[in-house]
Amino acid sequence: MARNGFFTGLDIGTSSIKVLVAEFISDEMNVIGVSNVPSTGVKDGIIIDIEAAAAAIKTAVEQAEEKAGITIERVNVGLPANLLQIEPTQGMIPVPSESKEIKDEDVDSVVKSALTKSITPEREVISLVPEEFIVDGFQGIRDPRGMMGIRLEMRGLIYTGPSTILHNLRKTVERAGIKVENIIISPLAMAKTVLNEGEREFGATVIDMGGGQTTVASMRAQELQYTNIYAEGGEYITKDISKVLKTSLSIAEALKYNFGRADVVEASLTETVKVDVVGSEEPVEVTERYLSEIISARVRHILDRVKQDLERGRLLDLPGGIVLIGGGAIMPGVVEVAQEIFGTTVKLHVPNQVGIRNPMFANVISLVEYVGMMSEVDVLAQNAVSGEELLRRKPIDFTGQETYLPDYNNSRVPESTVSYEQQVPQANYEPQAPDEPKQKISERVRGIFGSMFD
Ligand SMILES: Nc1ncnc2c1ncn2[C@@H]1O[C@H](COP(=O)(O)OP(=O)(O)OP(=O)(O)O)[C@@H](O)[C@H]1O
Ligand SMILES: [Mg+2]
């Protein structure tokens, strides 16, 4: 049962920031506003510049507000799977009330008692998801409220993440002038909402092929079994094209969008495109096949790494196979290459919400769906966690210059050299249908060069 009301999701992606506002009415999710703006200050999925990321978030929120016609005060923000830890936990309390009837406060107390587990200072609890309640020894209770009992127990999963990443995430959103309603673990939301009931039960894996990272989440028996993250995504393909062809990143990105395909054998040996390259007066002719070889090498590299880890975790033969989402999965041939590498069924998940039928939006949609579908008990548990976290959280100081995570130096290409707007349609985000054949290069050359150099 969905909760009725408005919910807002924020996906801070490496390539773009997406905001989605949806209204839930009797189990139906209606999208009422969406935005997609180029990202700044994010590298490989991690915020490396709070000011820059906050500015992009602010723009994205303003655009979504305009479309939705409402003011966004709080957002449900996705947290990537970086260094996420999942541990089982349990709590127990005596039911204190006179009537011995279990109330909201008792759920809050039992969740808090499960939080007293020792957590190292550099980690923070993001979420506690109750799996079952036990009242006076009776197991398998989903919602104990209203029941009578003397002893209330809860078993659940506790999700923790590195305090630095959580701090930066929270600070960035608050810096953009918005409150964080919930921090949602992206891979969990993805697996819960992208996979269907059968896939969640019997097992399947979602792979989110983003711009700066590739996220993997496997679910079986309705539980998240495994998550992993690889700091490699679609932007790496663009950089490869730029390096190999000695052309600018904006041309490389346009080549990828308009002529790219990941399955080399399907790429033409005769169709060519003229590319402006550094150090040559004349444009150089590049075959579709050559472009595809560059693209395929990176796609295969990413998916091979994923495969090795899934194999190690014995998750490669899950009956539901692989479901691909993310902008990087849109390119023709990615599904076929993935099918070949994983040797299992692979499908591209295209969201069915009007105006955003694009795998790029699957992540932000999943955040909103996840909060919309939270049960009352889940909300109580989440509030118990947030309350704890609020007590422990230091006040945010906006005066000093932020120090960033030590391992990342901002080697991101200056925004001015990459023009994403020309590829990212602003009015309608839906791409060409994935199974529609791309035009022949000769037919498309005018289009691409027309838009790039006019
Ligand atoms: N039609 C398309 N053809 C080829 N590549 C595409 C297409 N549409 C989007 N992409 C690529 O998808 C990537 C962006 O995908 P997405 O929006 O899912 O990433 P993100 O969420 O911003 O980044 P991340 O998840 O890595 O932090 C970019 O590299 C972009 O070039
Ligand atoms: Mg993403």
Side-chain angles (χ1 to χ4, degrees):
M1 257 285 282
R3 297 187 281 155
N4 284 349
F6 291 97
F7 297 98
T8 304
L10 166 66
D11 171 16
I12 308 174
T14 313
S15 300
S16 69
I17 308 234
K18 294 113 182 146
V19 174
L20 180 81
V21 187
E23 188 180 12
F24 279 78
I25 309 169
S26 29
D27 277 359
E28 279 271 327
M29 172 175 150
N30 301 304
V31 174
I32 59 164
V34 64
S35 66
N36 179 36
V37 308
S39 193
T40 47
V42 185
K43 185 171 185 285
D44 298 341
I46 300 286
I47 295 161
I48 53 157
D49 183 336
I50 287 180
E51 286 299 329
I57 291 170
K58 201 163 188 289
T59 310
V61 167
E62 282 165 3
Q63 285 188 12
E65 280 178 332
E66 210 170 290
K67 297 221 176 92
I70 61 163
T71 306
I72 297 171
E73 280 166 9
R74 49 191 72 238
V75 290
N76 294 283
V77 58
L79 177 80
N82 303 61
L83 309 171
L84 182 72
Q85 273 177 15
I86 312 169
E87 286 173 66
T89 188
Q90 56 192 70
M92 200 268 286
I93 55 150
V95 181
S97 71
E98 279 291 299
S99 64
K100 297 290 170 213
E101 194 173 299
I102 298 164
K103 301 191 168 60
D104 284 10
E105 303 86 82
D106 303 319
V107 172
D108 183 77
S109 304
V110 78
V111 169
K112 283 192 173 129
S113 80
L115 285 172
T116 48
K117 237 176 123 81
S118 62
I119 291 155
T120 51
E122 68 277 6
R123 299 191 74 77
E124 218 178 86
V125 177
I126 310 161
S127 183
L128 189 149
V129 180
E131 303 233 284
E132 64 162 346
F133 291 89
I134 305 160
V135 179
D136 293 348
F138 290 103
Q139 301 181 344
I141 298 165
R142 294 221 60 83
D143 187 348
R145 291 171 307 157
M147 292 182 177
M148 265 177 72
I150 293 166
R151 195 178 60 179
L152 175 65
E153 292 168 78
M154 187 217 59
R155 269 205 276 269
L157 293 174
I158 205 164
Y159 294 78
T160 66
S163 308
T164 46
I165 291 184
L166 284 158
H167 168 89
N168 289 358
L169 184 69
R170 228 181 263 119
K171 183 154 181 171
T172 307
V173 176
E174 291 180 12
R175 188 70 180 219
I178 308 132
K179 290 194 184 78
V180 174
E181 185 165 16
N182 288 295
I183 292 181
I184 309 286
I185 296 147
S186 271
L188 178 64
M190 230 159 72
K192 278 215 161 165
T193 61
V194 167
L195 300 177
N196 62 36
E197 178 71 27
E199 289 165 342
R200 288 197 299 269
E201 186 58 36
F202 294 102
T205 297
V206 184
I207 305 180
D208 178 4
M209 302 180 74
Q213 61 184 354
T214 300
T215 306
V216 180
S218 299
M219 191 168 245
R220 186 171 40 198
Q222 307 290 341
E223 266 178 34
L224 196 59
Q225 302 284 329
Y226 167 82
T227 71
N228 206 345
I229 200 150
Y230 304 82
E232 229 179 327
E235 289 187 2
Y236 285 65
I237 299 175
T238 308
K239 283 181 196 154
D240 291 346
I241 298 171
S242 158
K243 265 193 218 148
V244 175
L245 299 181
K246 297 195 184 64
T247 192
S248 72
L249 282 165
S250 54
I251 293 180
E253 181 77 355
L255 285 170
K256 180 176 85 170
Y257 260 78
N258 293 286
F259 311 124
R261 56 181 319 133
D263 46 352
V264 176
V265 284
E266 292 297 322
S268 163
L269 278 163
T270 50
E271 293 288 333
T272 60
V273 59
K274 287 199 172 97
V275 180
D276 266 357
V277 301
V278 174
S280 167
E281 288 284 302
E282 291 297 307
V284 169
E285 279 203 39
V286 176
T287 62
E288 192 180 76
R289 176 65 67 93
Y290 188 47
L291 181 66
S292 179
E293 278 166 3
I294 303 168
I295 293 169
S296 166
R298 178 65 70 174
V299 171
R300 283 174 181 277
H301 183 252
I302 298 173
L303 298 180
D304 274 333
R305 288 174 67 193
V306 174
K307 182 196 173 184
Q308 276 175 23
D309 291 334
L310 285 178
E311 223 164 20
R312 215 170 291 145
R314 301 191 178 182
L315 293 160
L316 205 51
D317 52 3
L318 292 177
I322 307 268
V323 183
L324 299 179
I325 60 168
I330 301 172
M331 191 160 43
V334 171
V335 171
E336 289 74 10
V337 168
Q339 215 139 25
E340 185 200 317
I341 290 176
F342 295 112
T344 175
T345 50
V346 177
K347 65 181 181 196
L348 179 68
H349 169 82
V350 183
N352 64 4
Q353 280 82 7
V354 178
I356 46 171
R357 291 197 177 98
N358 182 326
M360 234 166 79
F361 287 97
N363 199 336
V364 76
I365 295 170
S366 76
L367 300 175
V368 177
E369 270 193 80
Y370 185 84
V371 282
M373 300 308 290
M374 272 165 90
S375 69
E376 283 182 19
V377 163
D378 290 339
V379 174
L380 282 173
Q382 192 60 37
N383 288 347
V385 170
S386 310
E388 287 289 287
E389 175 266 311
L390 278 173
L391 291 176
R392 282 186 286 139
R393 198 199 304 173
K394 285 195 220 94
I396 290 178
D397 167 22
F398 284 136
T399 50
Q401 190 62 33
E402 189 50 29
T403 46
Y404 306 124
L405 291 175
D407 295 346
Y408 296 92
N409 50 26
N410 191 355
S411 59
R412 197 184 155 80
V413 185
E415 213 45 51
S416 59
T417 61
V418 187
S419 166
Y420 285 97
E421 285 95 321
Q422 67 195 27
Q423 289 96 24
V424 182
Q426 291 299 312
N428 181 0
Y429 298 114
E430 294 176 11
Q432 191 179 9
D435 46 2
E436 253 172 53
K438 284 203 168 184
Q439 286 171 287
K440 287 272 174 248
I441 280 187
S442 45
E443 294 161 24
R444 290 174 291 167
V445 169
R446 238 219 65 73
I448 174 177
F449 284 97
S451 64
M452 294 197 61
F453 303 117
D454 279 353

